[in-house]
Amino acid sequence: MKAIVLTDFGDINNLRVQDLPMPTIKDDEVLVQVKAISINPVDAKTRNGKGAAARLANDNPMILGWDISGIVDNIGKAVTNFKKGDEVFGMVNFPGHGKAYAEYVAAPAAHLTLKPGNITHEEAAAATLAALTAWESIVDALKIEENDKFLVHAAAGGVGHFAVQLAKHFGAWVIGTASAANKDFVLGVGADEFVDYKARPLEEVISNVDKVLDTIGGENIDLSLNLMKPGGTILSLVSGKNEEVQEKAAAKGMKGMRLLVHSSGENQQKIAALMEKGILKAHVSKTYSFDQVPEAHLQLESGRTVGKVVIVL
Ligand SMILES: NC(=O)c1ccc[n+]([C@@H]2O[C@H](COP(=O)([O-])OP(=O)(O)OC[C@H]3O[C@@H](n4cnc5c(N)ncnc54)[C@H](OP(=O)(O)O)[C@@H]3O)[C@@H](O)[C@H]2O)c1
């Protein structure tokens, strides 16, 4: 099978298409013939030796990627919830070695769910790491409730566009930030208010926020704390740029949290259910072929991605 091997940590030239033996599956795994792969900022960070790099470094070959949608080709002896031919999607082995940049992926059955028939493999692949992060942030960590005033930074991005939709579903009043070019997109996914973070200081237009999803880190945490109500909560996702969020928030009488998303077929199933009902949609702004993964990495590293980019096999 074809796979994209990371020959060493570094730039996109280290991503090479190679022929590898088919993966073998353990008793609790399924073999998935991959139809679409989504990529995330952590893919590029890991390629560069950051992100999840330490968890791959001792393996040979190293294969990036975690987000897949495809067709079950074989099942392990202990798998009871899937059969050959099922269409499935999920985030495989995150944070670990997902090995998703390949024609076939061995995935724990517990990390997958059935793909709803009304969405494409591209849309399903897009609704994995980013959607699970939004779900774990909004439901498990921030516990978003009706009428919460909720600020989503980078509302046009992968995590952001899912976070806006989920928070609206749970009844929040949602403010989304992006640059002016993405105003219609952010309002289109359901935000109640759009704020252009480049036009003027956020504190001139945003105040009394209950909960914040920080997708930027660093100074954005300090900035956000000035927009929040006493007792408010900020959740920061950007590892390496959010170590002090708890201390900074506590100093202002607020709560600061960090989160690292984890593979979960159970949460993936809840996302699938909302997609089946048309409540949650994945916006795929661009697709690439398998050979174009290096180009897709450059797109991600631009920091300007709208919704998700997906690799189609
Ligand atoms: N901890 C975790 O488990 C976890 C999980 C997922 C993601 N993350 C991290 O969270 C971050 C976001 O991930 P993502 O997948 O959503 O990224 P993404 O899709 O690449 O985000 C791109 C978007 O960011 C917007 N943006 C850039 N700078 C901005 C700013 N200062 N204010 C507002 N919007 C801004 C851009 O909009 P404009 O072009 O309009 O500026 C663009 O639409 C990444 O650092 C990622 O590694 C962490």
Side-chain angles (χ1 to χ4, degrees):
M1 67 153 189
K2 277 205 289 183
I4 295 174
V5 170
L6 180 66
T7 55
D8 195 1
F9 297 116
D11 69 19
I12 56 166
N13 295 312
N14 292 352
L15 293 167
R16 302 273 175 82
V17 178
Q18 290 186 10
D19 272 315
L20 292 182
M22 289 283 273
T24 51
I25 49 169
K26 297 182 189 138
D27 287 357
D28 62 349
E29 291 183 333
V30 300
L31 184 67
V32 180
Q33 183 196 5
V34 178
K35 292 290 177 187
I37 304 163
S38 108
I39 61 173
N40 298 282
V42 70
D43 297 34
K45 292 175 190 177
T46 304
R47 192 202 73 226
N48 266 317
K50 296 176 185 156
R55 298 172 197 258
L56 278 63
N58 294 327
D59 291 353
N60 186 17
M62 293 193 288
I63 302 174
L64 291 174
W66 291 273
D67 290 353
I68 58 165
S69 182
I71 299 168
V72 173
D73 188 74
N74 199 2
I75 61 168
K77 283 185 214 130
V79 174
T80 53
N81 50 342
F82 299 113
K83 60 181 188 314
K84 199 173 152 108
D86 280 347
E87 295 190 312
V88 292
F89 73 117
M91 175 178 76
V92 180
N93 285 324
F94 191 87
H97 199 169
K99 304 184 187 180
Y101 292 1
E103 289 178 317
Y104 289 85
V105 169
H111 295 177
L112 301 173
T113 197
L114 291 172
K115 178 182 85 60
N118 62 323
I119 63 168
T120 63
H121 282 294
E122 287 86 342
E123 290 164 330
T128 49
L129 188 148
L132 285 164
T133 304
W135 181 276
E136 289 182 16
S137 299
I138 282 164
V139 179
D140 302 333
L142 289 169
K143 304 188 194 314
I144 292 286
E145 292 172 353
E146 211 154 319
N147 299 323
D148 274 343
K149 193 170 179 182
F150 179 42
L151 172 61
V152 179
H153 288 284
V159 175
H161 89 296
F162 286 121
V164 170
Q165 296 177 66
L166 285 175
K168 283 307 297 171
H169 176 63
F170 291 108
W173 176 268
V174 181
I175 305 166
T177 71
S179 62
N182 290 321
K183 178 179 178 178
D184 290 346
F185 177 73
V186 171
L187 293 174
V189 293
D192 298 288
E193 290 177 47
F194 165 81
V195 174
D196 176 358
Y197 67 94
K198 289 181 173 166
R200 46 193 169 133
L202 295 185
E203 56 263 35
E204 285 182 16
V205 272
I206 306 174
S207 62
N208 277 324
V209 168
D210 294 297
K211 293 170 183 171
V212 176
L213 182 63
D214 165 50
T215 49
I216 312 291
E219 285 177 4
N220 199 58
I221 294 171
D222 305 281
L223 195 68
S224 299
L225 289 168
N226 292 333
L227 313 174
M228 291 162 60
K229 273 184 196 162
T233 307
I234 178 167
L235 173 66
S236 185
L237 294 175
V238 192
S239 59
K241 291 171 83 180
N242 63 0
E243 276 71 18
E244 293 171 358
V245 66
Q246 278 150 303
E247 292 82 349
K248 284 179 172 179
K252 294 202 162 202
M254 297 175 197
K255 190 173 174 192
M257 296 190 286
R258 301 193 285 164
L259 178 143
L260 181 63
V261 67
H262 283 81
S263 293
S264 163
E266 204 178 311
N267 285 341
Q268 196 66 70
Q269 201 284 321
K270 291 170 185 159
I271 288 164
L274 291 180
M275 294 182 91
E276 188 159 34
K277 290 183 189 145
I279 292 168
L280 187 68
K281 290 188 175 134
H283 178 82
V284 178
S285 58
K286 197 163 181 196
T287 58
Y288 295 84
S289 68
F290 196 58
D291 296 342
Q292 290 176 316
V293 166
E295 276 177 46
H297 269 229
L298 292 180
Q299 165 60 40
L300 269 184
E301 287 178 302
S302 75
R304 300 276 79 83
T305 300
V306 174
K308 296 292 303 169
V309 294
V310 169
I311 313 299
V312 181
L313 278 83

